[in-house]
């Protein structure tokens, strides 16, 4: 998720700031597409040992039907999540022109990338520590790690906002 949603924005702004290329719709789409492909390849690399090609040829139709029926609530939920994520674009488009909607959602993507950087930057390190501390040493250790986690989140947020303020200038020009 970080590769697909946040890293492309950081790379794009870095390339623009370094003068590697200009900020244009074509360069935005190319960068987004390349990082989506990279995330897909990385995901496939991580799960390749769980994909059994020989089992794909031998379909067990009753089992597939049972799995699809059980998964139906997740499909419906996913459909509504996508609808909720995109409905505001249509609502905003009824008030402003399409290019303004695109700019708005590009900036919203930047904001969500900042949140993802902060969340992943801290959670990757302190999440497993907190879980392990709670399981092995109890609630007191968990609370200590949680306080450190909160302090690190605040520090990481301040640093990220600082860099966002520096990098937003190429976007607004």
């Amino acid at each position: 998720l970080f590769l697909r949603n946040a890293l492309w924005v950081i790379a794009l702004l870095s390339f623009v700031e370094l003068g590697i290329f200009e900020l244009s719709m074509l360069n935005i789409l190319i960068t987004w597409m390349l990082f989506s492909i990279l995330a897909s390849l990385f995901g496939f690399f991580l799960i390749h040992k769980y994909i059994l090609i020989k089992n794909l040829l031998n379909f067990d139709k009753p089992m597939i039907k049972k799995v699809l029926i059980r998964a139906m609530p997740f499909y419906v939920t996913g459909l509504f999540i996508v609808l909720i994520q995109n409905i505001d674009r249509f609502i905003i488009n009824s008030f402003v022109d399409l290019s303004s909607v695109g700019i708005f959602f590009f900036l919203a993507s930047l904001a969500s990338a900042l949140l993802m950087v902060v969340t992943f930057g801290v959670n990757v390190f302190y999440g497993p520590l907190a879980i392990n501390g709670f399981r092995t040493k109890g609630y007191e250790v968990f609370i200590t790690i949680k306080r450190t986690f909160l302090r690190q989140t605040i520090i990481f947020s301040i640093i990220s906002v600082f860099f966002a303020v520096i990098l937003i200038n190429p976007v607004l020009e």
Side-chain angles (χ1 to χ4, degrees), residues 122 144 146-157:
V122 177
T144 304
K146 183 180 174 185
R147 286 186 187 122
T148 305
F149 171 80
L150 291 173
R151 277 194 306 273
Q152 292 295 327
T153 301
I154 291 169
I155 291 169
F156 212 84
S157 298

Side-chain angles (χ1 to χ4, degrees), residues 1-8 35-36 38-40 42-43 116:
L1 194 58
F2 177 77
L3 283 174
R4 188 177 60 86
N5 288 344
L7 197 56
W8 79 269
F35 276 89
S36 294
L38 178 68
S40 299
F42 185 65
M116 291 186 81

Side-chain angles (χ1 to χ4, degrees), residues 94-151:
S94 66
F95 296 107
V96 297
D97 62 341
L98 198 56
S99 64
S100 297
V101 174
I103 291 169
F104 173 78
F105 280 97
F106 176 71
L107 294 175
S109 177
L110 289 178
S112 69
L114 177 65
L115 176 64
M116 291 186 81
V117 168
V118 171
T119 302
F120 284 116
V122 177
N123 284 349
V124 164
F125 296 107
Y126 287 103
L129 286 176
I131 293 169
N132 190 34
F134 181 76
R135 286 183 179 168
T136 59
K137 298 176 184 167
Y139 187 71
E140 293 78 23
V141 172
F142 170 76
I143 291 298
T144 304
I145 295 171
K146 183 180 174 185
R147 286 186 187 122
T148 305
F149 171 80
L150 291 173
R151 277 194 306 273

Side-chain angles (χ1 to χ4, degrees), residues 10-21:
I10 295 168
L12 174 71
L13 292 176
S14 299
F15 293 155
V16 169
E17 191 64 29
L18 293 172
I20 295 174
F21 56 73

